[in-house]
Structures are given as C-alpha cells and as structure tokens.
Amino acid sequence: MSMTIGLAGKPNAGKSTFFKAATLADVEIANYPFTTINANHGVTYVRVECPCKEKEKRCGKCVDGVRLVPIDIIDVAGLVPDAYKGRGLGNTFLDELRQAQAIVHVVDASGGTDAEGNPVDIGDHDPLEDVAFLNREITMWLYGILERNWVKLARKIQAEGLKLEAVIAEQLAGAGIRESHVNAALIETGLARLDHIKWSEEDMIRLCDAMREISKPLLIAANKADVASRENLDRLKDLDRIVVPVSAAAELALKSAAKNELIKYSPGDRKFEVLGENLTKAQKKGLEAIHKVIERLGGTGVQECINRTVFELLDLIVVYPVEDEGKWSDKSGNVLPDAYLMKRGSTCHDLAYQIHTEIGDRFLYAVDARTRLRLGEKHELKNGDVIKIVSTAK
C-alpha cells in the first residue's frame, strides 16, 4: 500500500534533522523558525527481519537479515499557535498534512524553544503545551472546513434525506477524512444519536477532534532527549500516547559516519562498530558522546518512531509475494523481490489486488510458500507471510 508519514511540530523542534536522519536527504537545518517553508518529501524505511534467513540462498535486498521496506515521509512547515487561522505558514502546513496516514509529532523535549520556536534556555518551556497545541490546531483546521458551509449542508441533509457521514466526508475529503472515519467519530462522541440540526459549536469541535484522532493517529518523538530533563521525559511518557525518546542529531551523525565508512551502523541498531583507526580526535570524541546517548536512551529513537508508527499506530504487516513457492522467487530467480505493507486483517485476495487489478479480478487461490498449503481468497495474512498468488491473468 502507498503510505506517507507526516512529520509535524512547531519550528525549531528538530523536524528537519529528524527528516534528514531518516532519509539522508539534503535539507536545510538551522537554529531559527521556519527553516522549512516548502514541504520536504523523501523516502524512509521500516526495519524488519527478512524471511530469507530461513533459506540457503539470500535475497540480496537485506543486510545481515535486516530488510528495510520503503515508505514515504514528509517534513512540513513548522506550526505556530493559531495556524488554523492562517498565522505563520499555517494553511500550508495543514494542507500538506492531508497526505499523511499518520503523524510523528517532533517535540522539543528539552524545553529549549518557546511556543513560536524561538530558542530559550533549556527547561524554560513546557513541552506538554506543544503536544496539546498541535492537536488543537489540527482539530480547529478540520472544524473551519466543516463549519464553513455547515448551515446549508445541515438543511440539505434533512431536506433530501442524505447520509450524514457521507456529506461530512465529502466536505472534509481534502483533509484526508473518509466516511469510515466520520462514522466512527459520530459513534464515539455520541453525536450519531443527536439531531445534527441541533449540534452546537462545541459538538462540532468534539466531532472534529474525534475525526482527527481516528484519521491521523499520532506518535510523539520526544526529540533532544539527550539534553532533556528526566522530569520532562517522564511527563511526556505519562501521556496516553506512544512516546519515544529521540536524538535525531545523534542518528544523523551515525548515518553520516556510516555513509563515509567510518563506522558500521544499521538504522535502529543499539550500537555501532568503529571501522579502522583513521578517525580524528574530534570524530572520536563525537562518537564517544553518541555512544553514551544511545546507551542511555536504548538507541537514537528515530527508527523506533518509524517502526512503531507503521506497526502499532497503523497496524500494518509485511507480506512477500513470490511466483515460485519453492525458491521464494520471481520468474527471474530473484529471491523475495518485493515486500508489501498491508493492513492487518488483509486477505490473499487483497494481496492479489495489491499486486495488480487483473490478478485480483482473476484470482484462483494462493499458496503459503512455507507450508505449501493452498489458501482461499478469504484467508487472513500474517506478518512475514511468503505467498504465491495463482490466477488466470497473463
């Protein structure tokens, strides 16, 4: 499936550093607000164990059994209070976010930047305020779109007997809201039982808040954790969210060192190996400091954010389609050539459609390459499955 993670947060919280660390893309990083004006689009990777470890012949697409499955990531312009009213680069930020299926909220856990992203002394700002304000900005952005024509729409729904959730979804389609999101939010808020004509402003904001939570699940990257106080990190972890302590700067330094063959390091590793003895005194000192950081944090946190967003927030699995169930390869002999991210609960027939519409239309059955058992169209796939699809498509 095509999926995009959005990086959100106020200016100067470290979004662009996180983005560069996750993608090694060439982006501008600076210590002032609005370094990012136009969104940065890139490719990052989900880290998984490759099934080829079970075979004699390796796939050539993994390193030491670690496979990196590509996904899209977007670093949008920094958000300031009242962005939904157009303040700062607000509307640009929010419009870019519509593409994302999930959000990684990069928070300055050190409290070293104020609400606008201006540098202050470490500990001067409460990072919990940033968490609350981002949620409110997105909710109010949705509310602004819905409220714009609500009186007219509400009367039309009543007069023509239209489906409430369909009309709301159509109004918010540009924000990435689907009918299923609206339906779930109506049930969660109890507004499904209330005449929509009688909804108050507060009711509509509650509905938009629920739709935000359902359509844009959010993980908190507690960035600058290497200089943040234990109190700040503990308070963030107490939130009803997935919160990951992160040092995006450490990850970026490790990726750059690995790219220059100074160290051996794979994204998500909890340690690295120094290669050779040609490091300068400054490089050695820097790597020693990073070693202490990842030892204390259990890693840099960047890869953990990506993996937990994909596998916990979005509840996806990885499936490997093959054409030869014996060799786990395609017709050319390439072992495990593709890795597909799919929603948990997807079936063999869903996988067939994911590969190609015609293969889905002409689906016959599937084969589990591990057990060689024939599987029906409604068989539910599991994470790490290696599957052959049999169809009459040419």
Side-chain angles (χ1 to χ4, degrees):
M1 66 183 293
S2 172
M3 69 154 298
T4 301
I5 292 176
L7 295 182
K10 70 184 183 184
N12 214 13
K15 287 188 297 85
S16 294
T17 306
F18 188 110
F19 178 84
K20 188 166 185 176
T23 63
L24 273 188
D26 188 18
V27 299
E28 186 180 0
I29 299 169
N31 190 32
Y32 55 82
F34 300 124
T35 306
T36 303
I37 293 176
N38 297 312
N40 296 308
H41 294 255
V43 175
T44 189
Y45 300 87
V46 176
R47 174 178 170 144
V48 296
E49 281 193 35
C50 189
C52 78
K53 293 196 296 183
E54 301 169 37
K55 305 290 279 185
E56 283 185 22
K57 185 179 179 182
R58 292 300 174 88
C59 68
K61 292 180 176 291
C62 66
V63 178
D64 298 330
V66 173
R67 180 131 176 183
L68 299 175
V69 182
I71 60 170
D72 294 328
I73 188 168
I74 178 171
D75 166 30
V76 300
L79 189 68
V80 295
D82 290 338
Y84 72 92
K85 296 178 181 176
R87 189 162 175 268
L89 301 172
N91 291 328
T92 301
F93 160 89
L94 295 162
D95 286 345
E96 292 286 2
L97 257 197
R98 75 186 186 280
Q99 304 169 51
Q101 282 82 51
I103 298 170
V104 172
H105 182 187
V106 181
V107 173
D108 178 1
S110 76
T113 44
D114 66 17
E116 308 263 337
N118 300 301
V120 295
D121 290 339
I122 286 177
D124 273 8
H125 182 74
D126 184 355
L128 267 69
E129 291 180 13
D130 297 336
V131 176
F133 117 83
L134 177 74
N135 292 341
R136 177 166 173 77
E137 290 296 332
I138 299 174
T139 293
M140 294 307 292
W141 169 57
L142 295 175
Y143 170 71
I145 299 170
L146 184 60
E147 188 269 341
R148 207 173 294 148
N149 299 311
W150 181 245
V151 174
K152 181 181 174 184
L153 286 172
R155 287 176 182 153
K156 187 175 181 182
I157 292 166
Q158 189 176 49
E160 300 179 21
L162 301 177
K163 196 176 174 186
L164 176 62
E165 51 266 46
V167 173
I168 293 175
E170 186 179 353
Q171 183 75 359
L172 294 172
I177 302 290
R178 299 195 301 271
E179 197 171 319
S180 59
H181 299 145
V182 182
N183 196 43
L186 286 167
I187 293 167
E188 185 180 308
T189 56
L191 290 172
R193 299 189 301 271
L194 186 64
D195 184 351
H196 66 277
I197 293 290
K198 297 177 181 176
W199 285 356
S200 65
E201 179 181 330
E202 185 183 331
D203 289 332
M204 290 179 65
I205 291 173
R206 278 197 302 119
L207 178 66
C208 291
D209 203 46
M211 287 190 291
R212 169 191 58 77
E213 194 71 44
I214 293 162
S215 68
K216 296 280 189 284
L218 184 145
L219 173 147
I220 294 171
N223 195 33
K224 307 183 188 180
D226 47 322
V227 292
S229 68
R230 173 52 55 192
E231 181 192 0
N232 274 4
L233 290 176
D234 286 346
R235 288 168 65 234
L236 283 166
K237 286 179 181 177
D238 283 342
L239 294 171
D240 187 22
R241 295 273 179 199
I242 298 174
V243 178
V244 180
V246 170
S247 174
E251 177 73 9
L252 179 56
L254 290 176
K255 285 266 191 76
S256 299
K259 187 179 180 182
N260 291 316
E261 300 182 344
L262 299 176
I263 63 170
K264 182 181 179 183
Y265 173 73
S266 223
D269 281 356
R270 297 190 170 200
K271 58 185 178 180
F272 58 88
E273 179 189 341
V274 176
L275 302 175
E277 310 222 346
N278 297 324
L279 296 177
T280 65
K281 187 182 274 188
Q283 286 171 332
K284 285 180 182 176
K285 189 175 179 182
L287 287 172
E288 283 169 10
I290 291 172
H291 176 71
K292 289 177 184 175
V293 169
I294 63 175
E295 226 177 24
R296 180 160 60 87
L297 299 179
T300 69
V302 171
Q303 189 64 48
E304 184 181 347
C305 284
I306 295 163
N307 268 49
R308 293 186 74 180
T309 297
V310 170
F311 295 124
E312 289 185 44
L313 272 190
L314 294 172
D315 201 20
L316 303 185
I317 60 172
V318 184
V319 182
Y320 302 84
V322 296
E323 292 178 86
D324 186 324
E325 68 270 39
K327 296 178 180 177
W328 291 14
S329 67
D330 61 14
K331 287 177 182 175
S332 303
N334 299 305
V335 175
L336 299 173
D338 298 306
Y340 282 30
L341 284 167
M342 303 191 71
K343 194 75 178 171
R344 189 178 301 280
S346 294
T347 65
C348 293
H349 207 175
D350 294 328
L351 176 61
Y353 273 114
Q354 190 90 323
I355 297 168
H356 197 282
T357 304
E358 191 177 354
I359 291 174
D361 287 342
R362 301 189 178 190
F363 175 90
L364 294 176
Y365 61 91
V367 177
D368 184 325
R370 284 189 177 88
T371 64
R372 306 294 179 89
L373 292 174
R374 184 181 288 205
L375 308 172
E377 64 176 345
K378 293 182 180 178
H379 177 83
E380 192 172 305
L381 299 167
K382 301 185 304 296
N383 190 43
D385 271 351
V386 182
I387 301 290
K388 175 183 179 177
I389 299 293
V390 179
S391 82
T392 58
K394 292 182 181 180

